[in-house]
Amino acid sequence: MNTIEPPSTISVPAQNSGAPSSRGLIALRWASSEGRPSSSNRKPTLLACLAIFLAANLQAQSPNWQLSWSDEFNAPNGSPPDPAKWNIVTAGDGFGNNELETYTNQPANVQQQNGNLVITAQKEDLTGPDGIPRHYTSARLNTQNRFTQKYGRFEARIQLPTGKGIWPAFWLLGDNHETAQWPDCGEIDILESIGAPNTIYSTLHGPGYSGRMGISAKFPLPAGESVHTSFHLYAVEWAPNDIKFFFDDHLIAHRTPADLPQGTRWVYDHPFYVLLNLAVGGYWPGNPDPTTVFPQQMLVDYVRVYTRKPETPKATLKPGAPRLDSEMGASSEGRPSSPGSASRSKSKPTQ
């Protein structure tokens, strides 16, 4: 399987979410001024403390990316999503998918808690402001008219719910959808799950390839991994005529205009906005059954969006000048270059 190093973290098991990832520990070993591993006589307690500090506090980026927008969901417990960043949708019309929930802005369905955005699906009767009675409630957020971007890396670190009829999603929608109706506006589904603990989907929808005809990739998780026992990083890297989907550090799908059905159009050339939602029921996942447990929760550690840094022209060095290897971050004498922080996720308790 092809892999690349994303600018954020690998998955952290839920039961160990307060511990730093192994990458944080490895990074600390390479600390001597000569570029060699530091000596092994350092006290383990000091190493562990430094690793925890870095994992909790450092947010640096890959040399290829710069952060353009994010939400870390660090507001006090019980706070709603930041209204400067998110709209909360309130409706129960099924959204063309025959969904069974009504989306609300109630704290019971959406709030920040312990450094996470918590979206909760509940089994309860409610008639929403649209007058439609439903037997389930949940939440749906988007950044329409608050944040859009064309191209870049969009990522979220999420722990998903599972169960029959449970349908969480992290996705992008073309910001022109009010004038170019769906699917002409384009849709990029970075992550969808339909209840199974070990399978996710990434899909493109556009004119002539939408709904059941969407260009989709089904990804079975690596052995021992699960969407509901760990936080995982779900991401898309989007460039002109090129879209790559990632699960943690795995490239799971790569799409170009060559993948489209003949005679259809590539419509991923304008700004899109971000959506998060937890649906209940629908044509694709089916409806909950007696095995489905409620409440169900989707925990979002963060959402981050990056733009690609412009390439810096390589300077011509004078004879005898020390050479700086920009990829290794060290000069030819082995000294580290200007320090950049390593991208790490926040250490957070799970729920």
Side-chain angles (χ1 to χ4, degrees), residues 68-102:
S68 57
W69 183 93
S70 69
D71 198 336
E72 305 295 321
F73 304 114
N74 281 331
N77 287 353
S79 299
D82 185 347
K85 295 181 177 181
W86 299 98
N87 307 296
I88 302 178
V89 176
T90 55
D93 59 5
F95 291 86
N97 300 313
N98 199 36
E99 299 171 27
L100 302 181
E101 79 294 319
T102 188

XYZ file of all heavy atoms in Angstrom, residues 68-102:
264
model
N -4.327 26.988 7.228
C -5.151 28.120 6.789
C -6.405 28.287 7.636
O -6.955 29.403 7.704
C -5.547 27.953 5.318
O -6.235 26.734 5.114
N -6.870 27.220 8.285
C -8.089 27.291 9.106
C -8.113 26.061 9.986
O -7.664 24.980 9.591
C -9.320 27.314 8.194
C -10.645 27.457 8.897
C -11.323 28.608 9.153
C -11.471 26.394 9.413
N -12.505 28.335 9.791
C -12.632 26.994 9.965
C -11.345 25.013 9.469
C -13.649 26.239 10.555
C -12.353 24.258 10.060
C -13.491 24.887 10.592
N -8.654 26.225 11.203
C -8.791 25.054 12.074
C -9.790 25.330 13.173
O -10.116 26.483 13.481
C -7.441 24.667 12.700
O -7.026 25.640 13.638
N -10.265 24.266 13.774
C -11.008 24.330 15.028
C -10.522 23.178 15.884
O -10.613 22.006 15.486
C -12.518 24.240 14.801
C -13.302 24.728 16.014
O -12.747 24.689 17.124
O -14.468 25.137 15.848
N -9.997 23.498 17.071
C -9.444 22.504 17.980
C -10.461 22.067 19.034
O -10.184 21.164 19.823
C -8.198 23.058 18.669
C -7.132 23.562 17.714
C -6.520 22.466 16.864
O -6.296 21.357 17.397
O -6.269 22.709 15.668
N -11.607 22.728 19.108
C -12.700 22.377 20.024
C -12.242 22.351 21.481
O -12.502 21.404 22.225
C -13.323 21.034 19.613
C -13.812 21.027 18.192
C -13.227 20.212 17.239
C -14.844 21.865 17.790
C -13.670 20.212 15.925
C -15.298 21.875 16.470
C -14.707 21.045 15.535
N -11.573 23.428 21.874
C -11.033 23.540 23.229
C -11.827 24.487 24.125
O -11.337 24.914 25.157
C -9.575 24.005 23.175
C -8.620 22.877 22.820
O -8.887 21.719 23.120
N -7.523 23.209 22.164
N -13.040 24.836 23.734
C -13.863 25.710 24.562
C -14.296 24.980 25.835
O -14.191 23.755 25.930
C -15.081 26.180 23.773
N -14.787 25.712 26.839
C -15.248 25.059 28.076
C -16.323 24.010 27.797
O -17.101 24.113 26.849
C -15.807 26.228 28.895
C -15.065 27.429 28.400
C -14.852 27.191 26.934
N -16.337 22.999 28.640
C -17.319 21.929 28.489
C -18.736 22.485 28.432
O -19.109 23.378 29.209
C -17.214 20.943 29.644
C -15.981 20.068 29.541
O -15.256 20.105 28.545
N -15.729 19.260 30.575
N -19.514 21.969 27.517
C -20.892 22.407 27.345
C -21.069 23.533 26.346
O -22.208 23.894 26.022
N -19.956 24.074 25.838
C -20.053 25.167 24.865
C -20.555 24.654 23.527
O -20.231 23.532 23.115
C -18.685 25.825 24.655
O -18.195 26.381 25.840
N -21.323 25.465 22.813
C -21.710 25.083 21.456
C -20.524 25.230 20.518
O -19.504 25.831 20.881
C -22.812 26.090 21.113
C -22.448 27.302 21.905
C -21.856 26.786 23.191
N -20.612 24.711 19.306
C -19.565 24.978 18.320
C -19.411 26.482 18.112
O -20.374 27.243 18.239
C -20.080 24.286 17.052
C -21.047 23.261 17.549
C -21.672 23.838 18.774
N -18.209 26.918 17.786
C -17.909 28.333 17.594
C -18.786 28.898 16.476
O -18.650 28.503 15.315
C -16.433 28.483 17.238
C -15.977 29.926 17.129
O -16.838 30.830 17.084
O -14.751 30.152 17.072
N -19.691 29.840 16.780
C -20.591 30.360 15.748
C -19.876 31.183 14.687
O -20.437 31.429 13.622
C -21.590 31.214 16.542
C -20.855 31.598 17.787
C -19.962 30.444 18.106
N -18.644 31.614 14.968
C -17.870 32.319 13.944
C -17.328 31.358 12.897
O -16.946 31.781 11.805
C -16.725 33.085 14.589
N -17.332 30.058 13.226
C -16.776 29.057 12.315
C -17.827 28.111 11.752
O -17.649 27.592 10.642
C -15.697 28.244 13.039
C -14.485 29.059 13.452
C -13.434 28.195 14.136
C -12.188 29.029 14.467
N -11.125 28.213 15.108
N -18.892 27.865 12.503
C -19.830 26.815 12.128
C -21.273 27.308 12.115
O -21.683 28.090 12.975
C -19.745 25.650 13.122
C -18.430 24.979 13.200
C -17.445 25.198 14.129
C -17.919 23.976 12.314
N -16.367 24.392 13.885
C -16.623 23.631 12.774
C -18.432 23.332 11.196
C -15.841 22.671 12.142
C -17.640 22.373 10.563
C -16.372 22.054 11.026
N -22.045 26.798 11.171
C -23.497 26.867 11.191
C -24.019 25.535 11.718
O -23.491 24.466 11.369
C -24.057 27.066 9.777
C -23.448 28.247 9.060
O -23.613 29.380 9.485
N -22.750 27.978 7.958
N -25.059 25.578 12.534
C -25.729 24.354 12.987
C -27.051 24.246 12.231
O -27.906 25.128 12.328
C -25.978 24.373 14.503
C -24.660 24.549 15.263
C -26.674 23.084 14.935
C -24.826 24.632 16.771
N -27.191 23.187 11.477
C -28.388 22.974 10.669
C -29.504 22.447 11.557
O -29.287 21.572 12.404
C -28.095 21.982 9.527
C -29.356 21.680 8.733
C -26.998 22.524 8.624
N -30.702 22.981 11.404
C -31.873 22.466 12.132
C -32.944 22.122 11.107
O -33.579 23.001 10.541
C -32.408 23.497 13.139
O -32.684 24.725 12.453
C -31.381 23.767 14.239
N -33.109 20.834 10.863
C -34.086 20.372 9.874
C -34.246 18.866 10.000
O -33.370 18.179 10.535
C -33.655 20.746 8.460
N -35.361 18.372 9.471
C -35.637 16.938 9.536
C -36.275 16.417 8.270
O -37.118 15.530 8.320
N -35.845 16.951 7.125
C -36.514 16.594 5.874
C -35.879 15.415 5.150
O -36.219 15.120 4.010
C -36.558 17.804 4.941
C -35.178 18.353 4.603
O -34.171 17.737 5.024
O -35.096 19.384 3.919
N -34.929 14.730 5.783
C -34.328 13.543 5.182
C -33.184 13.839 4.245
O -32.449 12.920 3.857
N -33.005 15.093 3.823
C -31.874 15.542 3.017
C -31.671 14.708 1.752
O -30.542 14.493 1.305
C -30.599 15.565 3.862
C -30.631 16.630 4.914
C -31.215 16.384 6.152
C -30.133 17.892 4.663
C -31.280 17.375 7.128
C -30.186 18.894 5.626
C -30.774 18.631 6.859
N -32.764 14.237 1.163
C -32.683 13.466 -0.072
C -32.176 12.057 0.105
O -32.082 11.297 -0.863
N -31.853 11.681 1.352
C -31.293 10.354 1.630
C -32.235 9.462 2.427
O -31.854 8.356 2.810
C -29.994 10.498 2.437
C -28.939 11.289 1.724
O -28.678 11.062 0.554
N -28.329 12.235 2.432
N -33.457 9.959 2.714
C -34.407 9.246 3.560
C -33.874 9.049 4.986
O -34.176 8.059 5.650
C -34.778 7.883 2.952
C -36.067 7.325 3.530
O -37.006 8.064 3.825
N -36.131 6.011 3.685
N -33.093 10.045 5.455
C -32.611 9.992 6.832
C -33.785 10.126 7.802
O -34.792 10.759 7.502
C -31.596 11.116 7.070
C -30.363 11.027 6.192
C -29.471 12.262 6.284
O -29.491 12.937 7.335
O -28.761 12.548 5.299
N -33.628 9.547 8.995
C -34.734 9.473 9.950
C -34.642 10.497 11.071
O -35.607 10.643 11.835
C -34.784 8.063 10.572
C -34.947 6.898 9.601
C -35.001 5.581 10.373
C -36.206 7.066 8.746
N -33.530 11.202 11.191
C -33.340 12.118 12.315
C -33.847 13.512 11.983
O -34.020 13.875 10.813
C -31.855 12.193 12.699
C -31.002 13.089 11.790
C -30.847 12.600 10.370
O -30.663 11.371 10.183
O -30.887 13.425 9.430
N -34.036 14.301 13.029
C -34.121 15.746 12.877
C -32.857 16.328 13.499
O -32.447 15.930 14.597
C -35.389 16.341 13.520
O -35.487 17.725 13.170
C -35.406 16.194 15.022
